Structure formats: structure tokens, C-alpha cells
Amino acid sequence: MKPDNNFNIKSTNENEENTKVVRVVFVSLLLDLLAFTMILPLLPALLDHYEQNDNNQGLYSNILSYVQRVQVYLKVPARFNSVLFGGFLGSMYSFLQFLSSPIVGALSDVYGRRPLMLLCLMGIAVSYLLWALSHNFAIFVFARFIGGLSKGNVSLSMAIISDVTSPKSRGKAMALVGIAFSVGFVIGPMIGATFARLSTGHREGQWYAIPALFALFLALIDLLYVVCNLKESLPAKYRGKTLAMGISEALAYINPVDLFQFNGISGLSPQELQSLRRLGRSYFLYLFVYSGLEFTLTFLTHHLLGFTSMQQGWMFLGIGLTMAIIQGGWVRRIPAHKTKSIAELGLWLVIPSFVCIGIARGTAMLYFGVFLFAVSTAMVVTCMMTLVTRLGPDSQKGSITGIFRSLGALARACGPIVTSIAFWSIGSTTTYLTGALALVVPPLILRYTETS
């Protein structure tokens, strides 16, 4: 039978278009993450700046007055106050992302991916503009509020990739998302640290405006790039008919009871449902403790070891490079039958990493703990998500992974504030050792979970 050349040409053109869409999503995510991670090494110095320049009449001073009432009884050093404020900001940002991402996804199911992506990127750009103009703490909090609400672009990127790829090619395309995160977390903090180093010695006035404006520049380039290159990936005939139905489904990703019970997932055997619930509990507890201790790492090195922003930037560079090497050279080649054992090993490794960091009084012990931290991180999340994709029917894979992402977002929303309160009230060593003890539970849950 003579081949249909027109069909072949059409198929080739569609594949090229889909490849271009994936490439656009990758570049957009990379630009976004470079801007997003710039603030990591700057945050402790930023909070110190707002405390020193609040003049006892702004939001920082008003909150601090309530904090100090408790501080007197607990005998907490005043220098740890920024840890508490940082934890509040970190949890607020993640919680807003947890709330907004499913709703943005539901809106995109009805109105298309492209308009919602543009809306998110505009919101992110506005948040950086507000940061550049934040001469007081209230404006900075508002900037982070807008940024958190606008962070649905990450989940939208995954939805777009799902729209334009087949199940067979989706894994490779999704791997680009992980690469964007790795590169962003390697280079972004170093950019922020470089700006911090340039401003050392003359941090007067709005010294943070330069890195904020650079973040705004990256966000505007990202927005312009998407406007010019991203085509709609969800045809009108495949969109949801009613917004009410989409919002109703989105609420299942926000309600914690529905998340932990995996309500709304159909076609599962009792054994699969039990396994998913156990994996969900293990994943949530791990990320809850992990994200909190991870968030306070910059404050620990800032207050207890006297790290400059540049030293913190180098620390993040080391973490990112270690993760990228392990993920790219080993984790992605792990045989299917070893995925669970590697995930469990990673969960065990994170325990001594936080013990070492918690008891560190010098850089040697700290760096050893940070190295173990990077190794375990490279192993756990990737392997846990791989285990999840093995459960349930193909028609439910998207919903199952979506629930896992929401569980992770909820954990990251709760972890920083809880850990920061502990760091502030009982000190870093006790906090890290207690967290390490709690992290014994996730690998034990995983060990007795059937995943195949």
C-alpha cells in the first residue's frame, strides 16, 4: 500500500511544533527559576535591613512587639527574630502557591493554557517590581504575596507538556522540568550572592533594588518570550465545558482530607489505594520536616557561622551541582526493581545529614552534612514520584501525580513556619536533631509499602 505522504508531512510538522512548545516551556521555566532563586542567599540580610530601618512604626515593628513579649519568657536571642519572620514568609509563599496552582489549572482547562500562563508571568513580574520598591517590610510582604499567588506557572508548564506529548515521550519531556530546577538552583543563588557581594560595605538605602530589578528584567524577558513563542496547547474541543466543574475538581487538591485519602481517584484496587495512602503519608512527613530544615539552613549559616551571602551562594552551588551530577549520571539509570530501595536509602541518608548540620560548629562538619543532604535529595523525590506512577490505571496517572504534588506543596507550606518557630524558641541544634529523629518514620513507612 502506498504511504500517505501528506499524512507523514503533517505528522512531522506536528512533532516539530510539539518539540518547540516543550522547548519554550523549558526556557520559560529556567528564566523564572533564575529570578526566583536569586533571593535565597539575600533573605537573611534583607530581613536584617527591614528590622534596622523600620523606625518603630512599620509592620515589622508591630509584629516584633508581639514577638518580644514571648521572647522575654523564652529568653530567645534577638538575633534569631529574622528566622521567625523568614519562616512566616516562606510558609506564606508556599501556602499561596498550594492554593492557587489547582485553581489556575482549573481555569486553564476552560479558558486555555496560554492566557493563564501570561497572567501568572505578569503577576510574577509585578511581584519583583514591588520588591524593588519595597522601602518597608509591608511592601515586601505584599510582593511575596503576589508572587505566591502567581506561581501557578510551574504546574501550568507540566500541563502544557502533558498536552503536547504522548505517554511514551512524556518522561523525557518532564525530565527537562527537573533540569530547569537544577540549573535554576545552581545559578540563581550565585547571581543573588554576586549582587550581595557588590553591595557589601555600602548597604544603605534600597541596596536590594539592584537584584530586584535584575529579577524583574528576567521576568519581563520571560513574559516577552512566552508572548512571542508559546502557542495554545489545549484545543477548544478538549477544554472543560463549565468552570464550576473544574473548580470543584480543583478543591479536591486543596482539601487535606481528600488529599491524604486520595478521594476522587477511581479504578484502584484496595491494595493500590492503601499503597498510595502510605506513600502519600511518607512523602508528606518527609517534605514537611525536610522543607523546614532546608529553609532555615541559610539562617543557621548566617547567624551561627557568620556566612556572607557569597558563601551561602557557593553552598547552594555545591548542593545544586551534586544533585545534578547524581540525578543525571546515576538516578535516571536506576533499574525499576531497585527504585524503592534507592528511595528508602535516600530517606535514611537525610537523617545523618541534618544531625551533622545541627551539631556543626565549623565548616568541615557543615559541608559534610550538606553533601549528604544533596545526595539524599537527588535520590528521594525522583524515586518517590517514580514509585507513584506505577500505581493506578493509566487514565488516573495525571490525577494521582497531581495529588502528590499538592501533598508536597502543603508540606512546604507548613514546614518552614513550624521549623522556624522551633529554631527561634529552642535553638538550631535541638531543632535539627528533633527533625532528624522525626525523619526516621518516612523510610519505615516506605519499607512496609507494596509498590508493584
Side-chain angles (χ1 to χ4, degrees), residues 344-400:
E344 188 179 332
L345 175 61
L347 288 171
W348 285 119
L349 276 179
V350 77
I351 297 171
S353 78
F354 283 127
V355 171
C356 292
I357 293 171
I359 65 175
R361 291 299 176 266
T363 55
M365 181 66 77
L366 174 74
Y367 287 148
F368 180 67
V370 166
F371 173 74
L372 290 179
F373 167 83
V375 172
S376 66
T377 302
M379 297 162 65
V380 172
V381 176
T382 301
C383 290
M384 290 283 278
M385 291 303 295
T386 301
L387 291 175
V388 168
T389 60
R390 296 179 184 171
L391 298 170
D394 289 340
S395 60
Q396 296 285 293
K397 298 294 188 188
S399 298
I400 291 171

Side-chain angles (χ1 to χ4, degrees), residues 32-33 36 93 97 100-101 120 124 128 146-155:
D32 173 63
L33 290 166
F36 170 74
Y93 193 95
Q97 184 178 0
S100 66
S101 291
C120 287
I124 290 170
Y128 292 135
I146 297 296
L149 282 179
S150 305
K151 241 351 185 165
N153 66 309
V154 177
S155 59

Side-chain angles (χ1 to χ4, degrees), residues 210-403:
I210 297 176
L213 288 173
F214 186 74
L216 174 61
F217 170 74
L218 291 176
L220 291 175
I221 292 294
D222 188 6
L223 178 60
L224 182 62
Y225 178 74
V226 169
V227 167
C228 296
N229 295 282
L230 183 65
K231 294 183 178 180
E232 179 56 58
S233 64
L234 186 63
K237 62 181 179 180
Y238 296 123
R239 295 180 192 174
K241 301 300 181 184
T242 63
L243 181 58
M245 183 179 295
I247 295 296
S248 150
E249 293 175 356
L251 292 178
Y253 292 89
I254 297 175
N255 186 332
V257 174
D258 288 333
L259 286 177
F260 283 103
Q261 295 300 317
F262 285 83
N263 292 337
I265 303 298
S266 58
L268 297 175
S269 68
Q271 179 62 48
E272 285 180 320
L273 182 59
Q274 183 183 46
S275 295
L276 276 176
R277 288 174 176 173
R278 286 181 175 176
L279 280 173
R281 288 193 291 269
S282 176
Y283 186 61
F284 176 84
L285 181 57
Y286 162 74
L287 271 184
F288 173 78
V289 179
Y290 168 93
S291 64
L293 299 180
E294 174 195 39
F295 183 84
T296 56
L297 182 58
T298 55
F299 293 95
L300 181 147
T301 56
H302 176 72
H303 289 294
L304 299 183
L305 298 176
F307 270 30
T308 64
S309 296
M310 180 56 73
Q311 287 175 298
Q312 290 179 344
W314 283 112
M315 179 179 69
F316 280 111
L317 177 64
I319 291 172
L321 284 176
T322 302
M323 288 175 57
I325 292 169
I326 292 174
Q327 286 177 329
W330 176 53
V331 172
R332 68 187 183 92
R333 295 188 175 93
I334 292 173
H337 67 280
K338 291 187 177 181
T339 304
K340 181 182 174 182
S341 60
I342 297 301
E344 188 179 332
L345 175 61
L347 288 171
W348 285 119
L349 276 179
V350 77
I351 297 171
S353 78
F354 283 127
V355 171
C356 292
I357 293 171
I359 65 175
R361 291 299 176 266
T363 55
M365 181 66 77
L366 174 74
Y367 287 148
F368 180 67
V370 166
F371 173 74
L372 290 179
F373 167 83
V375 172
S376 66
T377 302
M379 297 162 65
V380 172
V381 176
T382 301
C383 290
M384 290 283 278
M385 291 303 295
T386 301
L387 291 175
V388 168
T389 60
R390 296 179 184 171
L391 298 170
D394 289 340
S395 60
Q396 296 285 293
K397 298 294 188 188
S399 298
I400 291 171
T401 55
I403 287 176

Side-chain angles (χ1 to χ4, degrees), residues 64-199:
L64 188 60
S65 65
Y66 292 102
V67 171
Q68 287 173 335
R69 295 176 188 177
V70 181
Q71 186 178 352
V72 172
Y73 294 103
L74 297 178
K75 298 180 180 179
V76 178
R79 65 195 176 115
F80 288 164
N81 288 336
S82 63
V83 182
L84 194 62
F85 281 81
F88 160 73
L89 288 172
S91 284
M92 180 194 74
Y93 193 95
S94 296
F95 183 69
L96 290 168
Q97 184 178 0
F98 165 71
L99 291 178
S100 66
S101 291
I103 295 174
V104 167
L107 290 171
S108 75
D109 286 340
V110 177
Y111 300 110
R113 313 293 190 208
R114 189 174 187 273
L116 269 298
M117 177 65 82
L118 295 177
L119 184 63
C120 287
L121 294 181
M122 284 189 283
I124 290 170
V126 169
S127 74
Y128 292 135
L129 176 61
L130 288 170
W131 175 23
L133 300 174
S134 60
H135 59 273
N136 60 51
F137 186 61
I139 298 176
F140 181 68
V141 171
F142 186 57
R144 300 300 288 172
F145 185 90
I146 297 296
L149 282 179
S150 305
K151 241 351 185 165
N153 66 309
V154 177
S155 59
L156 273 179
S157 297
M158 295 181 180
I160 292 171
I161 290 175
S162 296
D163 291 338
V164 301
T165 56
S166 65
K168 290 184 178 180
S169 62
R170 192 164 299 148
K172 291 182 179 179
M174 286 295 185
L176 289 175
V177 176
I179 293 172
F181 270 87
S182 295
V183 174
F185 275 83
V186 167
I187 300 176
M190 284 304 299
I191 296 174
T194 300
F195 280 117
R197 184 175 184 179
L198 292 175
S199 64

